[in-house]
Amino acid sequence: MTAEEYRREPPTDDPVQAFVPGHVTGFFSVHPHGDPRRAGSRGAGLALTEGVMVELHRADETAVVLDGEKAEIDAVTRTLDRLGVEARVAIKTPLPVSAGFGVSGGAALGTALAANALFGLTHTENELIGTAHAAEVEADTGLGDVVAQARGGVPLRLEPGAPEQGKLDGISVSNTRVEYVSFGDRPTGEIIGGNVKKLSQAGERALSQLLEKPTLPRFMALSRRFAREADLLTPQVETAIEAVRDVEGEAAMAMLGETVFALGSGLSDAGYEPTVCEIHPAGARLS
Amino acid sequence: MTAEEYRREPPTDDPVQAFVPGHVTGFFSVHPHGDPRRAGSRGAGLALTEGVMVELHRADETAVVLDGEKAEIDAVTRTLDRLGVEARVAIKTPLPVSAGFGVSGGAALGTALAANALFGLTHTENELIGTAHAAEVEADTGLGDVVAQARGGVPLRLEPGAPEQGKLDGISVSNTRVEYVSFGDRPTGEIIGGNVKKLSQAGERALSQLLEKPTLPRFMALSRRFAREADLLTPQVETAIEAVRDVEGEAAMAMLGETVFALGSGLSDAGYEPTVCEIHPAGARLS
C-alpha cells in the first residue's frame, strides 16, 4: 500500500476479511436483561487458534454462505441489520457448528468488523463488539462468546454484557496446546432458554473460586465440577473426561456442545484422535 | 509439554519470557491522582510489532540488563517490588529508549507477566497490568503506555488509569505498515511533571474529535495538530512531518520523544531511511 492510499478513508469496493478465534466456555452463569447489550453471561473459557474467517462482499441483498453452503445464521443477519447494511457473507471455519466453539458469535463479530471496513462505518471496536453481542443474544445462540472472542487468551467474563457494561479479565498463560473432540451438537437456545437457576449458581461459584487462584489447571477442574453440578454431562463426554483424567491429563466439557477439550496431549494420550490447536493469545481482527 | 506437566501449577525454575508491543502516542491529556492506579492519561496511539522482550530469571537480588548492558529502569524495579519478588531481568528491544516508544512501560509490563509465571503468583492479567501501570506512573516515565501495550492495535484511552478504573476502546484496522525515525530522546518526566494545562486541553479536544469519526487518517491529522498546539514540535520533527505531507503521506510525532512515525511508506517516500514495522494487533503476552 502506498502512503497516498492511507490517506483515503474507507469505504472500499474490495472484499474485506476478518478472523475471529474460536472460544470454548468451561463454566458460566446466565444474566438475562431486556436490553440485549446488557444481557450476557459471566464465566471463563479459552480462545482458540482455530476460528472463524469471515469475508464480506458488497451485494444488493444479504446472503450468508458457510463453508460453501448457503446458510441461515441469525446472529450474522441481525448484525448486518443493526449496522444498516446488506452484504454477501462468506464464512469459513474448521470448527464444528453448534458444538460449543462460538462459531455463530465469531461469524457475527467477524461480520461487524468487516462491515465497518467495507462500508466505512467508522464505529469503534467496542461499538462493533456490542453490535455483534446484541445480535448473538437476540438470536439466542450465545451469551458471552463475542466479548471473549474479541479479547482472546483465557477470558474471564467478570460482568455480563457488551463492552460498555461488561467487564473482562484474563488468566496470563504461555503458548498452550489444546485438543478437542466433538460428539455432536446441542443448540444453545434450548439450555439458556430453560430453567438455569442451578446452572447459574454453579457457574457463579466456579467463577468466584477461580478468582481466588486464577490458574489454568484450576479453571479445568472447576469446569469439570460445573458440568457435573449443572447436569450437562452426557455419557460420551463423561467417558472422555475420565479417560483423560486416567492418564493424568486435564479435560473439561465445552459449553454448550457435546465437546471435550483438553490441555496438552490429554486426549491423544487417552487414545482419542482429537483436533489439535492452541490458546489464541489475541482477539478478533481484520486481516 | 505432556498432559501431566499441565497439571503442575506454577512456579517454575526455568526463565520465563514475555513480549510487549511498542507503543507510540499521538496525543494525550494528563490526569494526575494520588493513587498511581487512578493516575494516567487519556489519548490515542498505535501498538507496534517492534517491542520489548523480557526474560526473567530467578536470582537472589534484582538486577536489570538492557540489550546486554546493566541498566536502571525504575518502572521495572518498582514492578518487582510491588509483586514482592527479586529477579534478574534481561530486556531486549530494537526500539530506541526515551524516544516515545513505551520501552519503560513495556519492560515493566513484561516483567509483571513473566514474574507472575516464574513465581506462580496467580494474579490475573488486569492485576498485573495495574501493577506495571502504577510502577510506571511512580517512576515518572509514562502515564498510558502500559494499558495500551496490554491491549494492542490502535488503543483509545477513554478513561485514565489501571484496568480497574481505566477504560479503553480501539480503532479497527487491517494490517498496517508503520515507519519511524528518531532524532533523539526526551525524558517523559520533564514534560508530564511540568505545566500541562494547554497540552491537556489540546489532548482532550483531539480525543473527542477522533471519537466523532474514529479512523486512522483522522488519528494522524489530530496528532499533528496536537503536537503543534502543545508546542512540542522540534525543528527536525516538523521538517520530517512536512516532508511526508509533501508526498501525500500521513505522519505525526510520537509522544514523548523526538520521533516521527508515518503510515505506509510515508517516510521512505519522503527520502528518509526509517525503521519499518506494523501495527501490532495483539497485546502483551507470555511467549
Side-chain angles (χ1 to χ4, degrees):
Chain A
M1 217 186 283
T2 65
E4 192 279 328
E5 286 176 280
Y6 279 104
R7 296 190 62 182
R8 285 186 314 163
E9 308 247 333
T12 167
D13 283 329
D14 302 326
V16 175
Q17 291 191 326
F19 172 78
V20 184
H23 178 251
V24 285
T25 285
F27 59 79
F28 68 108
S29 54
V30 177
H31 300 267
H33 196 287
D35 176 355
R37 287 176 183 258
R38 290 176 180 270
S41 57
R42 305 176 71 210
L46 307 178
L48 302 178
T49 48
E50 301 228 313
V52 181
M53 183 66 80
V54 178
E55 188 172 272
L56 228 69
H57 302 252
R58 289 183 174 266
D60 293 334
E61 204 171 71
T62 289
V64 181
V65 173
L66 174 62
D67 292 327
E69 307 273 326
K70 202 172 173 333
E72 300 285 336
I73 305 181
D74 202 14
V76 169
T77 45
R78 284 176 186 269
T79 295
L80 291 172
D81 287 350
R82 282 178 166 268
L83 294 173
V85 295
E86 309 236 11
R88 185 157 65 80
V89 187
I91 298 161
K92 286 186 184 164
T93 181
L95 295 167
V97 177
S98 296
F101 291 97
V103 171
S104 57
L109 180 54
T111 297
L113 294 172
N116 187 62
L118 186 63
F119 298 103
L121 303 178
T122 67
H123 294 301
T124 65
E125 290 185 327
N126 286 357
E127 288 163 0
L128 296 167
I129 297 162
T131 298
H133 172 82
E136 166 92 325
V137 167
E138 287 187 336
D140 240 3
T141 44
L143 288 170
D145 285 322
V146 169
V147 295
Q149 289 168 304
R151 185 189 189 283
V154 184
L156 306 176
R157 307 192 306 273
L158 301 184
E159 297 298 340
E164 192 62 36
Q165 285 83 31
K167 198 174 155 200
L168 296 171
D169 198 346
I171 297 175
S172 173
V173 295
S174 16
N175 296 341
T176 302
R177 172 177 163 137
V178 176
E179 297 187 341
Y180 66 81
V181 288
S182 202
F183 304 111
D185 60 357
R186 165 173 291 209
T188 301
E190 235 176 57
I191 308 237
I192 62 182
N195 184 343
V196 293
K197 192 173 162 202
K198 194 166 75 171
L199 177 154
S200 284
Q201 282 173 345
E204 292 282 355
R205 200 158 47 234
L207 182 59
S208 84
Q209 291 186 357
L210 182 58
L211 291 174
E212 284 168 15
K213 192 179 178 189
T215 70
L216 211 44
R218 194 170 166 97
F219 160 71
M220 298 297 284
L222 290 166
S223 297
R224 279 195 297 276
R225 201 186 62 193
F226 169 80
R228 212 167 45 238
E229 290 180 352
D231 279 335
L232 292 167
L233 288 170
T234 64
Q236 277 181 302
V237 164
E238 196 163 10
T239 302
I241 291 175
E242 282 309 310
V244 175
R245 299 297 290 159
D246 286 346
V247 295
E248 309 290 316
E250 288 286 1
M253 179 181 178
M255 303 296 154
L256 289 161
E258 206 167 342
T259 295
V260 174
F261 62 98
L263 302 182
S265 53
L267 281 159
S268 306
D269 293 353
Y272 285 84
E273 290 184 5
T275 305
V276 178
C277 58
E278 289 196 7
I279 292 178
H280 190 65
R285 68 179 78 160
L286 293 172
S287 39
Chain B
M1 219 185 285
T2 65
E4 192 280 328
E5 285 176 280
Y6 278 106
R7 297 191 61 184
R8 285 187 315 165
E9 308 249 332
T12 167
D13 283 329
D14 302 327
V16 175
Q17 291 191 326
F19 172 78
V20 184
H23 178 251
V24 285
T25 285
F27 59 79
F28 68 107
S29 55
V30 177
H31 301 267
H33 195 288
D35 176 355
R37 287 175 183 261
R38 290 177 180 270
S41 57
R42 304 175 74 209
L46 307 178
L48 302 178
T49 48
E50 301 229 313
V52 181
M53 182 66 80
V54 177
E55 188 172 270
L56 227 69
H57 302 252
R58 288 182 174 266
D60 293 334
E61 203 172 70
T62 289
V64 181
V65 173
L66 173 63
D67 291 328
E69 306 274 326
K70 203 171 173 336
E72 301 285 335
I73 306 182
D74 201 14
V76 168
T77 45
R78 283 175 186 269
T79 295
L80 292 172
D81 287 350
R82 283 178 165 266
L83 294 173
V85 295
E86 310 236 10
R88 185 157 65 79
V89 187
I91 298 160
K92 286 186 183 163
T93 181
L95 295 167
V97 177
S98 297
F101 291 96
V103 171
S104 57
L109 180 53
T111 297
L113 293 172
N116 187 61
L118 185 63
F119 298 103
L121 303 178
T122 68
H123 293 303
T124 66
E125 289 184 329
N126 286 357
E127 288 163 359
L128 296 167
I129 298 162
T131 298
H133 172 81
E136 166 93 325
V137 167
E138 287 187 336
D140 240 3
T141 44
L143 287 170
D145 285 322
V146 169
V147 295
Q149 289 169 303
R151 186 189 187 283
V154 183
L156 306 176
R157 307 192 305 274
L158 301 184
E159 297 299 340
E164 191 62 36
Q165 285 83 31
K167 198 173 153 201
L168 296 172
D169 198 347
I171 297 175
S172 173
V173 294
S174 18
N175 296 341
T176 302
R177 172 177 162 134
V178 176
E179 297 187 341
Y180 67 81
V181 287
S182 201
F183 304 111
D185 60 356
R186 164 172 290 210
T188 301
E190 234 177 58
I191 308 237
I192 63 183
N195 184 345
V196 294
K197 193 175 163 199
K198 194 167 75 172
L199 177 155
S200 285
Q201 282 173 345
E204 292 282 355
R205 200 158 47 234
L207 183 59
S208 83
Q209 291 186 359
L210 182 58
L211 291 174
E212 284 168 15
K213 190 178 180 189
T215 69
L216 211 44
R218 194 169 166 98
F219 160 71
M220 298 297 286
L222 291 166
S223 296
R224 278 194 298 275
R225 200 186 62 193
F226 170 81
R228 209 166 48 236
E229 290 180 352
D231 279 335
L232 291 168
L233 288 170
T234 64
Q236 276 180 302
V237 164
E238 195 163 11
T239 302
I241 290 175
E242 282 310 309
V244 175
R245 298 298 290 160
D246 286 345
V247 295
E248 308 292 315
E250 288 286 0
M253 179 182 178
M255 303 295 153
L256 291 160
E258 205 166 341
T259 295
V260 174
F261 62 98
L263 302 182
S265 54
L267 281 159
S268 305
D269 293 353
Y272 285 83
E273 289 184 6
T275 305
V276 178
C277 58
E278 288 196 8
I279 293 178
H280 190 64
R285 67 178 80 160
L286 293 173
S287 38

